[in-house]
Amino acid sequence: MKIDIGTFMFNMNLANGSGTPSWGSELGQGKEHKLNDKIDEEFAKSLLFNAIDDKNNIDIKLGKGGGRKDDYSFVISSLFKKIFINGVPIPNAEFMLVIVKLLNGNTENHIGRMTIKYSDSVKYKGKEINKDCIYKMRKVLNIAEEGSWFVYEINTKNQDELHFSAIVLDKDHNTTFYDTQDRKNKVLSLIPDEEIESHDLCSAEVSIFEIGDDAGLCGYNKIYYGIPGCGKSWYIENNVLSNVDKKNDVFRTTFYLDYSNSDFVGQIYPKVNSKGDVSYEYVPGPFTKALERALTNPDKMIYLVIEEINRGNAAAIFGDLFQLLDRLKEDKDGRVKGDSEYPISNQFIEGYFEKRNNSKNCYDSKILFDEGNIYIPHNLTLLATMNTSDQNVYPLDTAFQRRWDREKIITDVNGTKYAELYVPGTGIKWKHFASKINIRMMEDCEDGSITEDKNLGAYFATDEMLCTEAENKDANIVRKKAIRFANNVMEYLFNTAVKFNPEVLFAEGYTRFHKIYDAIDEFDFEYDRSMEFIKLLAKNVAHDLEENLENSEEVEDD
């Protein structure tokens, strides 16, 4: 139904006169007390379908200016829980429509007049549900608090859906008109002439309806996994989050052996003031911080990044949050695709949100949530990294894994920034060393004890362990970097990758890692001793690397 012009508008000021919203549309008046044609059959059925007989819990300003309540009587009160604005569902919103009848009036013709009220001051069970819903409408439309916009039509669909049709004049600033007629002319010029069902308005001109970016947001859960040093974190940082405000919209944490649910969600700490008085303070964890940011910024995608998700007991860390990982594949019950399908009750999160809301005077800053209905919203994405070499630390069970998308990160060492750097004191480039070592591990392990997840990733070694051509001529630099290379790369290969088959990579006689470390430490890096380094390795491995020696003296025969 088309509503009366000027009854449902925001920040549309007048230079002359006044014109505040009356929050109601007339449905009929006169001696015959007939309804006009604003309410069609579908709308009337929806009002009846959602009618509630709970008038004692309803508080509403009935008359113009909010007075003269005794002059009106309730005809019907309808509570809707599936709300849409320009076709976009509004999560966790309720809205009440009330039809009232005027019992007493200044003129005989006004007696019996019916009005449908959609006031922002409606309270149901003490909660300003309409005001809360209008606030969420503004967020969905990506309108700033001072932005000017108005609703021109209210419709219903499927009996339980309430649809608002809105037009945005300026999403960031208020708008001033000369007088009410000037404003009316502008408003009427923007309302489409043809009948447009509210659920089809998403395809209308963006310049008119200006639906916010969040209309298309759909969060997900994804694990990026791969061999050590393959660049999982780098990939997330530089590809997935390349255009994201990392300072405000990205939250990070790392799981480890003793990491707990209270670390992840939050906990209550005692706090002692200067007088010795003890109070208790809610300290949110990274999950709750990310959730808070998402709920207060529904027009943005917020990211929670969990590094090394399998280094801690993920099932215990998530606890009851595990239930939230199931996400809706389509809109349902007022929630949208990407929202958690099964909300939970979480005492800490609800307590923290409630305390935060009560400590703030600004309505705009409040966290909108329902008691016992905590969920991951569609604008919160969970990203995680997993080192496949560490799967034996805390294996992720099938039930947990199936709630995450998975992507294997495979990086070509030849294309990385470290590819052309040298293994310290040698003429062997990192790209050749890593690729040859990986090939040999796979080809020469006959019993299958060495798996692909033990390979060296492209970023396993960094510029702190590798030398440029110039650095390779400085004995002091080479010695320092060679020790780092031994402690990181060689130690990993010996004690992890080929732990049960050292002969796959290392020469006879090197049965303990300290022998390898001592041999490197004793090298005289004043001279090119690349062959001495290579002799630490098995003959076939050394042979592979000899083929790629660069800027070194002639290779000696073994």
Side-chain angles (χ1 to χ4, degrees):
M1 59 169 283
K2 298 283 186 181
I3 65 174
D4 292 352
I5 297 301
T7 62
F8 202 147
M9 57 177 51
F10 303 88
N11 298 320
M12 298 170 66
N13 306 323
L14 301 177
N16 296 286
S18 61
T20 58
S22 57
W23 301 105
S25 290
E26 305 304 335
L27 301 179
Q29 64 182 50
K31 292 182 179 181
E32 297 181 0
H33 304 164
K34 289 183 178 179
L35 292 175
N36 57 32
D37 57 2
K38 284 185 178 180
I39 294 184
D40 58 22
E41 184 178 355
E42 167 67 21
F43 199 99
K45 287 181 179 179
S46 298
L47 289 174
L48 292 172
F49 184 79
N50 295 279
I52 59 172
D53 186 19
D54 195 10
K55 297 181 177 59
N56 292 331
N57 283 314
I58 301 172
D59 183 12
I60 181 174
K61 297 178 180 179
L62 294 176
K64 187 174 179 59
R68 304 188 304 276
K69 287 188 177 181
D70 293 339
D71 290 342
Y72 290 83
S73 68
F74 282 99
V75 176
I76 190 172
S77 304
S78 302
L79 180 64
F80 291 83
K81 296 185 177 182
K82 296 181 182 180
I83 318 297
F84 297 75
I85 181 76
N86 287 359
V88 181
I90 304 173
N92 297 319
E94 295 180 316
F95 201 91
M96 181 171 288
L97 296 176
V98 178
I99 296 181
V100 297
K101 181 174 67 173
L102 181 62
L103 301 177
N104 304 300
N106 296 328
T107 68
E108 184 181 352
N109 288 343
H110 284 170
I111 297 175
R113 181 176 64 182
M114 285 190 179
T115 305
I116 185 168
K117 307 290 288 187
Y118 29 83
S119 173
D120 66 337
S121 65
V122 169
K123 289 184 179 180
Y124 180 59
K125 295 183 178 179
K127 294 183 178 180
E128 294 182 312
I129 59 171
N130 284 15
K131 187 174 184 179
D132 173 73
C133 184
I134 293 169
Y135 165 79
K136 291 177 179 178
M137 288 183 195
R138 178 165 62 78
K139 287 294 187 180
V140 169
L141 293 174
N142 195 26
I143 304 170
E145 188 173 7
E146 297 300 317
S148 56
W149 60 290
F150 67 95
V151 173
Y152 68 91
E153 191 169 20
I154 302 175
N155 286 308
T156 59
K157 183 184 177 184
N158 299 328
Q159 293 192 334
D160 61 349
E161 295 179 6
L162 184 62
H163 290 257
F164 294 90
S165 301
I167 291 177
V168 181
L169 278 73
D170 189 323
K171 69 183 185 67
D172 295 315
H173 308 92
N174 57 32
T175 305
T176 300
F177 299 96
Y178 180 74
D179 55 20
T180 54
Q181 188 60 45
D182 179 33
R183 185 179 64 185
K184 180 178 180 179
N185 292 339
K186 178 63 175 179
V187 168
L188 290 175
S189 70
L190 294 174
I191 297 176
D193 292 333
E194 68 276 11
E195 291 295 325
I196 301 179
E197 290 186 349
S198 59
H199 57 277
D200 291 331
L201 288 175
C202 284
S203 61
E205 291 289 338
V206 175
S207 59
I208 295 178
F209 298 104
E210 299 204 22
I211 298 175
D213 292 340
D214 62 316
L217 297 179
C218 184
Y220 55 94
N221 317 316
K222 193 165 189 176
I223 294 176
Y224 296 88
Y225 68 99
I227 60 178
C230 67
K232 300 176 288 293
S233 298
W234 186 94
Y235 181 85
I236 291 176
E237 181 75 7
N238 296 278
N239 289 279
V240 182
L241 303 177
S242 60
N243 296 316
V244 177
D245 180 1
K246 298 182 181 69
K247 181 179 179 180
N248 297 303
D249 298 335
V250 178
F251 297 81
R252 295 181 181 277
T253 190
T254 302
F255 284 4
Y256 52 86
L257 292 178
D258 293 329
Y259 197 84
S260 67
N261 178 260
S262 58
D263 294 320
F264 190 47
V265 179
Q267 49 195 312
I268 300 175
Y269 283 106
K271 184 178 181 181
V272 182
N273 62 19
S274 58
K275 297 180 180 180
D277 298 327
V278 179
S279 61
Y280 293 90
E281 180 177 338
Y282 283 85
V283 180
F287 176 84
T288 304
K289 289 179 180 178
L291 180 62
E292 174 185 351
R293 178 70 176 170
L295 292 174
T296 53
N297 294 271
D299 56 330
K300 285 186 176 183
M301 180 61 78
I302 308 302
Y303 297 86
L304 174 60
V305 180
I306 303 170
E307 299 283 3
E308 306 290 351
I309 193 170
N310 60 324
R311 296 291 298 175
N313 188 342
I317 292 169
F318 271 81
D320 59 348
L321 302 182
F322 173 86
Q323 186 81 356
L324 304 183
L325 295 176
D326 278 315
R327 297 191 183 237
L328 289 171
K329 302 299 187 294
E330 58 184 19
D331 299 351
K332 178 182 179 182
D333 297 334
R335 286 176 291 126
V336 300
K337 180 180 178 181
D339 285 346
S340 296
E341 186 169 3
Y342 309 110
I344 65 170
S345 175
N346 186 284
Q347 187 175 2
F348 175 85
I349 295 176
E350 293 175 37
Y352 168 69
F353 284 175
E354 186 68 30
K355 187 169 183 178
R356 180 193 180 280
N357 285 346
N358 291 337
S359 67
K360 299 289 185 178
N361 295 321
C362 179
Y363 180 78
D364 185 63
S365 68
K366 288 188 176 181
I367 304 171
L368 302 175
F369 74 101
D370 294 328
E371 184 177 349
N373 195 41
I374 297 298
Y375 68 101
I376 296 176
H378 61 281
N379 65 316
L380 178 55
T381 288
L382 274 57
L383 306 175
T385 64
M386 184 174 74
N387 189 337
T388 53
S389 183
D390 294 330
Q391 289 190 65
N392 60 328
V393 178
Y394 271 112
L396 301 181
D397 62 71
T398 303
F400 189 86
Q401 288 195 52
R402 75 174 184 83
R403 287 166 169 81
W404 297 75
D405 294 329
R406 290 161 56 87
E407 181 176 338
K408 187 174 184 179
I409 301 300
I410 302 176
T411 50
D412 180 6
V413 66
N414 293 296
T416 66
K417 60 181 180 180
Y418 304 131
E420 300 298 322
L421 297 182
Y422 294 90
V423 174
T426 78
I428 306 169
K429 289 186 175 180
W430 169 244
K431 64 181 181 181
H432 296 139
F433 182 89
S435 59
K436 295 298 182 181
I437 290 292
N438 288 340
I439 289 172
R440 279 300 168 190
M441 280 198 292
M442 294 297 97
E443 290 183 349
D444 295 350
C445 180
E446 297 179 355
D447 63 2
S449 61
I450 303 176
T451 56
E452 186 181 358
D453 61 11
K454 297 297 189 292
N455 281 355
L456 290 172
Y459 296 96
F460 197 100
T462 68
D463 53 0
E464 293 182 344
M465 311 171 204
L466 303 169
C467 292
T468 64
E469 187 173 353
E471 289 173 337
N472 229 7
K473 297 176 181 179
D474 187 319
N476 290 326
I477 295 177
V478 170
R479 176 172 291 281
K480 290 179 181 179
K481 293 199 172 187
I483 297 302
R484 291 195 186 106
F485 190 86
N487 282 324
N488 288 274
V489 179
M490 302 297 283
E491 192 278 337
Y492 168 76
L493 292 175
F494 191 92
N495 288 327
T496 301
V498 295
K499 181 177 182 179
F500 302 105
N501 302 77
E503 66 277 4
V504 171
L505 294 182
F506 294 94
E508 294 181 13
Y510 293 103
T511 57
R512 296 288 186 271
F513 175 69
H514 73 84
K515 292 186 176 183
I516 298 172
Y517 183 88
D518 292 343
I520 294 175
D521 189 39
E522 293 170 1
F523 283 170
D524 183 358
F525 291 108
E526 292 288 349
Y527 305 98
D528 180 9
R529 303 302 299 272
S530 60
M531 287 313 301
E532 294 296 329
F533 183 90
I534 289 177
K535 287 179 181 178
L536 297 173
L537 302 172
K539 289 184 178 180
N540 55 356
V541 180
H543 180 268
D544 289 345
L545 294 174
E546 288 170 9
E547 296 177 348
N548 298 111
L549 280 174
E550 300 184 27
N551 301 324
S552 63
E553 297 178 359
E554 184 178 350
V555 176
E556 302 176 6
D557 292 331
D558 205 12

